[in-house]
Amino acid sequence: MASIRLQALQETLNRKPMVVTEPKERRSELYAANVFTLSTAKHYIPKESYQAVLSAITHGTRIDRKVADQVAAGMKAWAISKGATHYTHWFQPLTGASAEKHDAFFEPAGDGSAIDKFDGSQLVQQEPDASSFPSGGIRNTFEARGYTAWDPTSPAFVMGTTLCIPTVFVSYTGEALDNKTPLLRALQSIDHAATEVARYFDKNVNKVICTLGWEQEYFLVDTALAAVRPDLVMAGRLLLGHTAAKNQQLEDHYFGSIPERALAFMRDLEIECIKLGIPVKTRHNEVAPNQYEVAPLFEEANLAVDHNTLLMDVMDKVAARHHFKVLLHEKPFSGINGSGKHNNWSMCTDTGVNLLSPGKTPKSNLMFLTFFVNTIKAVHDYADLLRASIASAGNDHRLGANEAPPAIISVFIGQQLTAVLDELENVTDGNLSPEEKTELKLNVVGKIPEILLDNTDRNRTSPFAFTGNKFEFRAVGASANCAKPIMVLSTIVSQTLRQFKHDVDALIEKGMKKDDAIFNVLREYIKQSKRIRFEGDGYSEEWVQEAARRGLSNFKTTPEALKVQVSEQAIALFEAHQVMNHREIEARYEIELEAYTKRVQIEGRVLGDIATNHVIPTAIAYQNTLIQNVRGLKEIFGNDYMEYAAQQIELIKAISMHINKIKAYVDAMINERKVANKITDAEAKAEAYCFKVKPYFEQIKYHCDKLELMVDDELWPLTKTRELLFIR
Ligand code: ADP
Ligand code: MG
């Protein structure tokens, strides 16, 4: 009988692309069909309640019980019209994924009949039995209560037959147990700070939102091929497997024509996304074989985060219909590109101005420069915190792995803007002369829009790049919940803007003119943050050395990177902005360390199992064939047999050597795991897994991969890398 791998290959080769019929409606008509948008809500809830919801969304005002009841009634009627039978609070616990617990609308009335019930109290608050979600000790099991509370800023939607209501998730004592709560608090903080600063330039500004456009990279592999790889099933990446002879060196996949089966999946996914109001717009092949990207139009950050979380869930479901497994791991295959999730971020006023987009007048350009320089200064001052915000076991394999942004945080702004900042660095200390002002306004600040138009030198190697009208945080991992990096980025920019306002006001109070004060403070910020700016090749070894000379950090592993989150500076920052208190910060730190430890632990177990249960027995089976062959040769050729059997004997010896090595390394790894498992301190345990257990992975892989190259292809039970990457 053929090996399970060959059976899986056969199954895959027999697949046909699924037929995806385009819905009757055009996509623009289908858009948000399953979302309780404001325009839909208008038809379902009374006018006063609608106004109350609107005010809750824009000003954060409270929603009273009567309004909640009316909204719930409208939502229920709408959801039932869409075929919903159940409702759920939809939240994002600290596992990084989304969580839901479905309740039926249906309720027996007690007299033999039944009604559909869903009122304000069920809309506004729920108490899921949530004792199994990570809480980092915030929610002791004896007070296992966690509450989910409606977030009216993110609209409810129907998925399948369930009405999903986006909510925050907090403990009995009000501490955040999710990713959304700190994000909402950070967005509120930056709203205040950015509005104040924007008002230097335009008194009509009353609110500033953050915008986020994510670009989701992923791999597609056939479910049958994936199913026979325990590492893909359990860890989402290959822990062993020889590199394919051809991978991405021909650069023939990037933006190439999309394979039919993948295209069918994408179309199906897009239709689902469109109905859910996720404005997906772009699809293309990525650099590595079987790697793709999907990207929407940018949205308000909280909504964009919800949409990305939702997308990752929808992708899984749609992929199953197409017999695909979606890999969101940051580095599923070694030797080829990993997957990231670029976070394009900016700030936008309620007057419709993108604060990171150069304007048409010197005045609006000075506003642009202010937000631009403040963002750079924030990244400079809190680079380590930003690095921590993207740390995960998966992303460790991608950052600095020579094909993704390095673990060093730096900012790329392009040649032209560098020249502008260089000029601003020379602004006179104190009040500016009229000539100087004219020169600055006309020739420096005033020229920005034209120069940006021909600013095409996009540096792809930078982890944090300015791309014309937004910053692109590229170091975020493909499986990450964007809430964390965006929460950190928004908080640090908020902090810097507050400081900026403080510094400018201080100069104005001393009698300096507003514009002069702004130029003076910008000059200082440009000087202070200069070392974070880097325009060269971020993947080069020289940069690693140069960054070290500049005193920039290079945290290559998650345990090292996470530490800064509990530093005094970080705690003071988050507390000052009421984004997180120290208990929430410490809890998160522990949860993230534990998540890291568990991931490496699972990988270690799976690798040990595969090596022991798949690789070694297969190698022995093949070795037995060789032994039989040698015996036969001896029978035929007698004492001359060595003339014919020398190669086989070499192979027999080599196989034994590799088996011995694998066995020894697996045993040593298991021992290290035992030692690590006894450690109770989360930090020390994560370090033990990182520095004592994980290093064995490469050794075990090395010898397994050698055996893969020796053993008869027919016998090998694990799907090979070339098959995962090229069979579709
Ligand atoms: P790429 O980086 O692949 O060249 P684009 O620059 O066209 O792609 O856009 C990438 C993402 O940036 C898209 O999701 C887009 O909607 C988003 N984007 C564009 N403008 C903004 C903005 N002002 N704020 C946030 N995201 C934005
Ligand atoms: Mg991009």
Side-chain angles (χ1 to χ4, degrees):
M1 196 170 100
S3 71
I4 54 168
R5 166 177 143 255
L6 294 182
Q7 293 174 45
L9 266 176
Q10 194 56 54
E11 197 178 328
T12 307
L13 290 171
N14 289 340
R15 299 229 200 269
K16 300 267 175 300
M18 205 182 98
V19 180
V20 179
T21 37
E22 198 65 26
K24 285 190 300 296
E25 303 88 343
R26 290 207 320 279
R27 293 197 179 186
S28 54
E29 293 165 333
L30 213 57
Y31 181 62
N34 291 349
V35 185
F36 196 60
T37 57
L38 280 174
S39 60
T40 304
K42 235 183 196 160
H43 301 295
Y44 280 89
I45 54 183
K47 208 167 173 187
E48 326 83 70
S49 292
Y50 175 79
Q51 287 303 335
V53 172
L54 212 55
S55 156
I57 293 171
T58 38
H59 308 301
T61 48
R62 287 189 76 86
I63 287 178
D64 67 28
R65 180 58 202 265
K66 188 176 142 239
V67 171
D69 276 338
Q70 289 183 338
V71 175
M75 236 184 227
K76 183 182 77 177
W78 169 78
I80 289 173
S81 81
K82 290 277 162 191
T85 55
H86 287 65
Y87 65 91
T88 181
H89 275 195
W90 184 83
F91 56 105
Q92 299 167 46
L94 294 168
T95 53
S98 57
E100 42 196 89
K101 173 189 159 235
H102 300 185
D103 281 303
F105 289 125
F106 157 87
E107 211 167 280
D111 59 357
S113 70
I115 51 162
D116 286 317
K117 188 162 179 286
F118 179 66
D119 62 24
S121 67
Q122 288 151 321
L123 165 67
V124 172
Q125 189 173 307
Q126 296 266 306
E127 193 187 327
D129 175 17
S131 50
S132 299
F133 290 115
S135 75
I138 281 184
R139 199 195 47 234
N140 296 328
T141 20
F142 63 83
E143 48 163 69
R145 287 195 266 180
Y147 289 102
T148 51
W150 179 33
D151 166 20
T153 62
S154 183
F157 54 90
V158 169
M159 188 151 67
T161 53
T162 306
L163 167 67
C164 301
I165 300 144
T167 58
V168 295
F169 181 39
V170 293
S171 76
Y172 184 54
T173 44
E175 275 137 342
L177 295 171
D178 66 353
N179 283 303
K180 191 194 257 274
T181 308
L183 173 68
L184 287 171
R185 295 176 186 155
L187 293 174
Q188 198 170 13
S189 167
I190 193 171
D191 172 8
H192 287 255
T195 301
E196 293 269 302
V197 172
R199 288 171 68 89
Y200 279 139
F201 308 94
D202 181 357
K203 287 274 177 249
N204 296 318
V205 174
N206 286 309
K207 189 178 170 68
V208 171
I209 58 161
C210 289
T211 49
L212 166 64
W214 39 262
E215 302 166 58
Q216 179 73 58
E217 292 181 338
Y218 61 97
F219 280 88
L220 284 180
V221 297
D222 189 90
T223 39
L225 298 181
V228 296
R229 295 246 14 166
D231 45 0
L232 269 188
V233 174
M234 314 289 287
R237 73 172 179 115
L238 294 198
L239 295 167
L240 49 82
H242 202 273
T243 321
K246 169 181 186 277
N247 47 50
Q248 63 188 42
Q249 66 272 61
L250 300 179
E251 294 169 349
D252 50 0
H253 190 66
Y254 191 55
F255 280 23
S257 83
I258 302 173
E260 262 195 70
R261 269 185 75 201
L263 187 60
F265 160 77
M266 288 177 184
R267 287 183 46 224
D268 204 1
L269 174 68
E270 283 168 359
I271 293 166
E272 293 299 329
C273 285
I274 294 286
K275 285 195 275 190
L276 287 167
I278 309 173
V280 290
K281 234 180 124 62
T282 311
R283 61 181 180 212
H284 62 76
N285 288 2
E286 261 304 325
V287 174
N290 275 354
Q291 191 187 28
Y292 307 96
E293 180 183 295
V294 53
L297 270 185
F298 68 93
E299 299 176 287
E300 186 279 321
N302 176 43
L303 184 59
V305 167
D306 281 358
H307 278 167
N308 181 250
T309 311
L310 188 55
L311 171 101
M312 293 195 281
D313 188 21
V314 174
M315 277 177 113
D316 249 12
K317 290 183 175 140
V318 174
R321 300 206 276 264
H322 295 255
H323 304 286
F324 276 132
K325 183 175 167 64
V326 176
L327 304 182
L328 291 177
H329 193 283
E330 283 74 15
K331 194 76 180 169
F333 307 97
S334 54
I336 55 173
N337 275 25
S339 300
K341 178 150 53 198
H342 296 179
N343 277 207
N344 296 272
W345 175 90
S346 189
M347 294 159 278
C348 185
T349 66
D350 57 348
T351 53
V353 174
N354 175 357
L355 291 169
L356 289 175
S357 181
K360 291 200 169 57
T361 61
K363 187 170 149 196
S364 60
N365 273 341
L366 188 54
M367 176 156 86
F368 156 71
L369 273 176
T370 298
F371 285 91
F372 178 67
V373 170
N374 271 279
T375 306
I376 298 171
K377 171 89 162 37
V379 176
H380 169 270
D381 292 356
Y382 298 96
D384 292 352
L385 213 48
L386 214 48
R387 164 67 182 99
S389 78
I390 47 151
S392 70
N395 218 12
D396 280 1
H397 295 283
R398 175 174 162 265
L399 295 181
N402 210 39
E403 61 229 7
I408 308 161
I409 297 291
S410 67
V411 181
F412 168 85
I413 60 172
Q415 228 178 325
Q416 288 88 343
L417 282 167
T418 300
V420 171
L421 296 199
D422 287 348
E423 297 237 23
L424 288 176
E425 231 185 293
N426 300 320
V427 166
T428 316
D429 198 356
N431 281 314
L432 278 62
S433 71
E435 296 77 36
E436 254 181 318
K437 259 194 211 173
T438 314
E439 158 69 16
L440 269 180
K441 287 193 171 166
L442 287 182
N443 291 332
V444 183
V445 181
K447 281 224 170 125
I448 294 173
E450 327 167 26
I451 58 180
L452 273 193
L453 281 180
D454 47 70
N455 174 9
T456 46
D457 57 335
R458 292 242 206 139
N459 185 335
R460 291 272 156 200
T461 65
S462 175
F464 199 92
F466 184 72
T467 49
N469 56 3
K470 63 198 184 277
F471 277 100
E472 188 167 335
F473 190 11
R474 302 212 184 98
V476 185
S479 70
N481 184 310
C482 308
K484 194 180 173 197
I486 295 301
M487 177 270 286
V488 170
L489 182 56
S490 305
T491 308
I492 63 178
V493 174
S494 173
Q495 167 64 25
T496 311
L497 288 169
R498 271 195 212 184
Q499 185 63 45
F500 178 79
K501 173 92 174 37
H502 177 269
D503 294 347
V504 170
D505 285 351
L507 291 180
I508 294 174
E509 235 159 73
K510 279 190 201 151
M512 203 184 275
K513 283 224 177 85
K514 188 175 77 185
D515 277 5
D516 296 1
I518 290 171
F519 276 123
N520 271 270
V521 178
L522 286 181
R523 178 195 62 225
E524 289 313 306
Y525 283 18
I526 290 166
K527 281 189 194 160
Q528 289 163 16
S529 58
K530 207 167 177 183
R531 67 172 184 160
I532 201 77
R533 276 159 42 200
F534 178 63
E535 301 287 304
D537 179 1
Y539 296 178
S540 66
E541 185 48 39
E542 296 84 75
W543 170 229
V544 175
Q545 285 159 22
E546 166 66 17
R549 272 195 297 279
R550 293 189 190 186
L552 300 176
S553 313
N554 185 4
F555 297 119
K556 292 200 168 132
T557 67
T558 296
E560 293 165 278
L562 288 180
K563 269 201 179 82
V564 63
Q565 295 186 144
V566 286
S567 67
E568 266 174 42
Q569 187 205 30
I571 294 176
L573 171 79
F574 289 121
E575 293 207 316
H577 291 263
Q578 296 178 350
V579 170
M580 289 187 282
N581 64 29
H582 75 98
R583 245 161 68 90
E584 292 171 309
I585 295 168
E586 279 150 17
R588 257 146 235 267
Y589 181 50
E590 202 166 305
I591 290 166
E592 281 160 21
L593 286 171
E594 272 172 14
Y596 176 84
T597 296
K598 284 178 189 160
R599 285 215 177 268
V600 181
Q601 186 180 47
I602 290 168
E603 290 190 346
R605 286 179 184 156
V606 174
L607 181 57
D609 288 352
I610 302 179
T612 312
N613 303 331
H614 290 64
V615 174
I616 293 183
T618 309
I620 291 175
Y622 180 57
Q623 197 183 37
N624 282 338
T625 313
L626 293 170
I627 291 169
Q628 235 178 349
N629 174 264
V630 173
R631 280 214 189 98
L633 291 170
K634 207 169 174 181
E635 228 174 82
I636 299 170
F637 299 108
N639 284 343
D640 290 340
Y641 83 102
M642 269 311 269
E643 213 177 297
Y644 306 95
Q647 290 309 316
Q648 290 86 319
I649 288 176
E650 283 310 307
L651 265 176
I652 291 169
K653 285 189 198 162
I655 289 173
S656 287
M657 185 275 286
H658 289 302
I659 289 176
N660 288 342
K661 291 273 189 196
I662 292 170
K663 179 80 177 71
Y665 285 128
V666 169
D667 286 348
M669 174 182 70
I670 292 174
N671 271 333
E672 287 296 350
R673 284 216 310 267
K674 282 185 184 150
V675 174
N677 289 345
K678 289 209 181 75
I679 303 173
T680 47
D681 176 61
E683 200 174 276
K685 194 171 186 166
E687 280 166 3
Y689 266 95
C690 181
F691 300 115
K692 301 280 191 201
V693 177
K694 203 174 52 149
Y696 284 106
F697 293 7
E698 273 308 302
Q699 314 268 20
I700 297 167
K701 176 181 182 327
Y702 175 82
H703 292 284
C704 289
D705 291 358
K706 287 285 175 207
L707 286 175
E708 182 185 323
L709 292 183
M710 289 177 186
V711 169
D712 181 0
D713 184 71
E714 296 256 330
L715 296 178
W716 197 254
L718 300 162
T719 325
K720 296 189 172 180
T721 312
R722 61 165 188 261
E723 293 155 354
L724 289 165
L725 290 180
F726 291 99
I727 309 246
R728 47 178 81 119

